[in-house]
Amino acid sequence: MRVSARNLLKNTLDLPPSLRTQAYATAANTSAAQPCTVPPWRPSNVLDDWVARDVRPISLRQLTFFGRTLTEPRLLESANYVRLELPTRIAHRLRNMQTLPYTALTNEHISHVYELYYGAFERFRKVSEVRNLDDNDRYCAVLKQTLNEHLSVIPRLAMGVLEIQDTIGPDQSDLLMKTLLRSRISRRVIAEQHLALTETFHSPWHFPNAKKPATLTPEDDFVGEILLKCNAKEIIEKCAATATQLASKAYGSEVAIPKIVLQGHLDTTFPYIPSHIEYIIGELLRNSIQAVIEQKGSSEPPPIEVLICEAAQHVIIRISDQGGGIERDVLPYLWSFAKGPRRYRRLENLATVPRLKATMQELEPGAASHSDKVKHGSSLSSLSSRPPELRLGMGLPMSKIYAKYWAGSLELHSLEGYGCDAFLQISRLGNKNEVLTTRASMDAV
């Protein structure tokens, strides 16, 4: 919407008081000959009520125990948890965005994300209590629609934070990006888990006395979206195959691809959401393969070593390559979405990716995963249509967000002129709550 300075002042009537001063300043510097784009605003009373609610974090273990014995009352309880939790979490993020300088909110990408969030908030908060299975089916349809609508959030948000740095600074841009992405993961986890539980409930084999066919073994290992015995070796091999295929497509079949050598505790299993761990491992292996190929050229490349270490509380996966290490000008900005010397190239590349789910499956055309059986656009897949050489500069920082979400960690050590060691640590027991950013913790930063 293109408006004059007079209309801009008129639009501030619906702004929270704390933002009106900024809006007036913007209007004072805006002439009729220089219109600007202004996101629509609404009264904040309803949003205030939801922001005042506390977020209720969950763990993989809680989700597993809850979904193992699935009855109709439990399914309805799950629906009502999600029904209240989603608008609460969205409300906190809307309030974060409202505290940005008004000029930042007029950015077309940030405004687009804000509008998607506000539309979802309005839709979710108006859903009445889920009392029966018909209510649940209608609610699931709303969830699926919203999940698919929000596939444009990641690229638009990334472009927005790159463009508003001059307004709010790169550090605050990074904080905004990480906060919104972590919250996005949390919302999609609880929404996709409920959708998967609903699908399980409607399957005739899930009842205790039902005879399960022999071909149903994979589903027995899942509770919703959670794989109870996620095998580290199998995950790494799957990701290695995808990354190798991608590298061969990018560099040509005549280029030698480094081998992936697995060592350590190869029988290690742990409860996890496969799409999360696949994304992290896939990005790390893809980066290592690309670095080794570009470092060694046409010569025989050294292998990439992957070590799996199983401890009492954690599983640690180390990925070591001999790809020459990370350039000095890039290394300080390794985990940043907004900073670094390749900022403008990222912006150009992101403009070619309108929808992004952030999954390993996006890297492999036609790939499928367990979560694909729920037809709602899994949180973790449209890079499948992306040229393999198109680099967005988001893989490592996004991987770190995924790792830290379940109270894990991701560190990378670069040996200049030699290679890199990446260390991924995850909880072996699945008993750690999701790491969320609340409104209060944002204010404290």
Side-chain angles (χ1 to χ4, degrees), residues 46-259:
V46 174
L47 189 65
D48 290 341
D49 294 338
W50 286 89
V51 170
R53 297 172 182 244
D54 290 330
V55 172
R56 296 178 292 170
I58 41 84
S59 69
L60 288 169
R61 176 175 287 185
Q62 287 174 319
L63 291 176
T64 299
F65 285 169
F66 183 88
R68 284 300 291 267
T69 306
L70 191 58
T71 61
E72 181 174 334
R74 283 204 164 194
L75 184 65
L76 300 183
E77 183 180 346
S78 171
N80 284 303
Y81 167 78
V82 178
R83 179 180 64 89
L84 296 176
E85 197 70 10
L86 285 181
T88 301
R89 297 187 183 198
I90 295 176
H92 282 261
R93 302 292 72 82
L94 284 169
R95 182 51 49 85
N96 289 148
M97 297 179 73
Q98 287 182 349
T99 61
L100 292 172
Y102 192 67
T103 50
L105 284 167
T106 62
N107 176 274
E108 63 173 319
H109 304 299
I110 300 298
S111 179
H112 171 83
V113 174
Y114 182 90
E115 280 304 293
L116 281 178
Y117 278 19
Y118 207 103
F121 169 71
E122 286 291 303
R123 181 183 300 160
F124 286 141
R125 77 176 181 85
K126 294 176 181 178
V127 175
S128 56
E129 182 181 357
V130 179
R131 299 178 182 272
N132 52 54
L133 293 178
D134 289 338
D135 288 347
N136 181 66
D137 289 342
R138 286 190 289 269
Y139 181 53
C140 286
V142 173
L143 289 178
K144 293 175 184 179
Q145 175 188 350
T146 306
L147 288 173
N148 285 320
E149 286 178 355
H150 282 225
L151 295 182
S152 63
V153 165
I154 293 180
R156 295 297 290 270
L157 182 61
M159 287 188 285
V161 298
L162 286 169
E163 291 181 352
I164 66 175
Q165 287 187 50
D166 294 338
T167 301
I168 68 174
D171 290 333
Q172 190 175 352
S173 294
D174 260 337
L175 179 60
L176 175 69
M177 183 75 173
K178 293 174 182 177
T179 301
L180 293 184
L181 287 180
R182 187 182 299 118
S183 179
R184 177 185 183 272
I185 293 171
S186 77
R187 296 192 306 272
R188 296 186 77 96
V189 163
I190 62 176
E192 290 173 358
Q193 178 69 3
H194 179 67
L195 289 171
L197 290 180
T198 297
E199 183 180 87
T200 298
F201 185 83
H202 287 309
S203 301
W205 49 261
H206 95 276
F207 295 101
N209 296 325
K211 183 179 180 180
K212 297 178 174 61
T215 58
L216 211 56
T217 303
E219 279 75 8
D220 286 341
D221 291 334
F222 278 93
V223 175
E225 293 291 295
I226 302 169
L227 180 57
L228 300 180
K229 294 183 179 180
C230 195
N231 186 284
K233 176 177 178 290
E234 293 177 359
I235 291 290
I236 294 167
E237 288 175 342
K238 178 180 178 181
C239 294
T242 301
T244 298
Q245 180 185 3
L246 185 69
S248 180
K249 184 177 179 181
Y251 296 98
S253 57
E254 70 281 358
V255 174
I257 308 297
K259 294 180 180 180

